[in-house]
């Protein structure tokens, strides 16, 4: 029982990261009908930006709390700037082009980011050790060992999901996003600045990627230039399973995918190396059974 609880706890942590990534995908698609395949590489870039901030603040001898704030701030700011830049300079000019053009463009941008990290970051080909900035150790909850850093990061991840949901549903910017998602022309006639809303939307979605990348680095203590590839595929799959364009669907999809991985590891430990294979097979079955996703038909609005 204790082992099952431990796996469930690990699954919740992974599900939080996947949910954040999937939420970015669904924001992009919900507003612009864009599948941004560079999303995972923006996540990686944000994590490396956070790593540089950690090195700089450590060299200056700043307190650990300040280092931690700097890591998250640098990761999210870098991701936001890159996401908004991709939107303004590449996606907006292609908004009337065939969807395949935009898909290929985002894939190429992702490859460009990934290769730039590998070639130009110091020792970028090899995994980079992420500093331990959170309290180590933990406590036992019954038979389950709860890591202090894992608990803090999971709470932070869930809180960030709640903040994004609040921004989308309770702010004027979120109202503008939802109006553009419903009907661009009507939104324009209502006075919504379309050219401003789209880059800010991409900045918001990219911030979730930078946040997820930093959580990943702090939890697993290691990042590498290619980590965004698999996270992007999983995040996109989670968004599809939940219902692309539906925020809650993306979050549920993230936790569901992590739950499938956890189930394989817990039920068939000898096959744990194949947890992604089993999870993707079940995702294929789910998509075949319900192509629109679990919540797409129930959602009353996109994004």
């Amino acid at each position: 029982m204790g082992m099952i609880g431990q796996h469930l706890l690990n699954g919740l942590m992974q599900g939080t990261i996947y949910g954040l990534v999937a939420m970015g995908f669904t924001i992009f698609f919900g507003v612009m009908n864009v599948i941004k395949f560079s999303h995972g590489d923006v996540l990686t870039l944000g994590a490396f930006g956070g790593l540089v901030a950690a090195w700089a603040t450590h060299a200056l001898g700043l307190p650990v709390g300040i280092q931690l704030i700097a890591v998250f701030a640098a990761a999210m700011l870098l991701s936001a700037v890159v996401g908004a830049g991709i939107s303004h300079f590449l996606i907006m000019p292609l908004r009337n082009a065939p969807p395949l053009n935009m898909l290929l463009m985002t894939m190429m941008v992702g490859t460009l980011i990934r290769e730039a990290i590998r070639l130009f970051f110091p020792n970028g080909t090899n995994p980079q050790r992420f500093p331990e900035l959170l309290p180590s150790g933990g406590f036992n909850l019954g038979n389950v060992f709860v890591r202090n850093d894992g608990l803090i990061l999971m709470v932070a991840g869930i809180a960030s999901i709640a903040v994004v949901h609040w921004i989308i549903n309770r702010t004027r910017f979120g109202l503008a996003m939802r109006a553009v998602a419903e009907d661009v022309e009507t939104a324009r006639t209502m006075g919504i600045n379309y050219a401003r809303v789209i880059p800010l939307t991409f900045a918001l979605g990219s911030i979730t990627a930078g946040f997820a990348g930093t959580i990943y680095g702090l939890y697993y203590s290691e990042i590498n230039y290619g980590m965004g590839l698999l996270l992007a595929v999983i995040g996109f799959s989670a968004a599809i399973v939940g219902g692309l364009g539906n925020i809650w669907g993306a979050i549920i999809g993230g936790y569901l995918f992590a739950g499938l991985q956890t189930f394989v590891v817990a039920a068939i430990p000898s096959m744990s190396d194949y947890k992604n294979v089993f999870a993707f097979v079940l995702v294929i079955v789910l998509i075949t059974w319900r192509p629109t996703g679990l919540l797409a038909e129930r959602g009353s609005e996109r994004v």
Side-chain angles (χ1 to χ4, degrees), residues 4 14 21-22 34 36 43 67 140 169 177 180 196 205 211 226 230 232 245 248 257 260 262 264 283 300:
I4 294 175
Q14 289 179 322
V21 180
V34 170
K36 179 169 164 276
L43 177 153
Q67 292 183 38
N140 290 313
N169 291 282
M177 282 178 58
V180 171
R196 179 183 297 176
F211 197 87
L230 182 58
W248 288 114
F257 196 96
L260 292 173
T262 302
V264 172
V283 166
S300 58

Side-chain angles (χ1 to χ4, degrees), residues 121-296:
F121 195 85
N123 199 23
T125 304
N126 296 319
Q128 304 289 321
R129 184 76 179 170
F130 213 88
E132 296 180 5
L133 300 176
L134 293 170
S136 59
F139 58 92
N140 290 313
L141 187 63
N143 294 323
V144 178
F145 180 73
V146 182
R147 280 172 50 182
N148 291 328
D149 59 348
L151 181 61
I152 293 171
L153 291 171
M154 189 162 58
V155 171
I158 293 171
S160 69
I161 290 172
V163 168
V164 173
H165 185 265
W166 175 79
I167 290 173
I168 293 174
N169 291 282
R170 293 287 185 271
T171 65
R172 290 177 62 85
F173 169 58
L175 180 63
M177 282 178 58
R178 288 183 285 130
V180 171
E182 288 297 323
D183 191 317
V184 174
E185 294 306 320
T186 302
R188 279 175 167 166
T189 59
M190 293 171 63
I192 293 174
N193 190 333
Y194 175 79
R196 179 183 297 176
V197 169
I198 296 303
L200 288 177
T201 299
F202 274 76
L204 177 64
S206 299
I207 284 174
T208 65
F211 197 87
T214 306
I215 287 180
Y216 183 97
L218 287 169
Y219 187 70
Y220 293 106
S221 302
E222 187 178 282
I223 58 175
N224 65 78
Y225 75 94
M227 70 182 200
L229 273 176
L230 182 58
L231 285 172
V233 174
I234 291 175
F236 182 61
S237 301
I240 291 287
V241 167
L244 199 55
N246 187 302
I247 289 287
W248 288 114
I251 296 166
I252 291 172
Y255 282 108
L256 181 61
F257 196 96
L260 292 173
Q261 289 179 319
T262 302
F263 175 78
V264 172
V265 173
I268 323 172
S270 61
M271 301 293 286
S272 58
D273 288 343
Y274 298 92
K275 62 181 181 181
N276 287 334
V277 175
F278 283 95
F280 279 122
V281 168
L282 287 174
V283 166
I284 291 170
V285 172
L286 281 171
I287 293 174
T288 304
W289 169 62
R290 198 175 176 85
T292 56
L294 296 175
L295 297 187

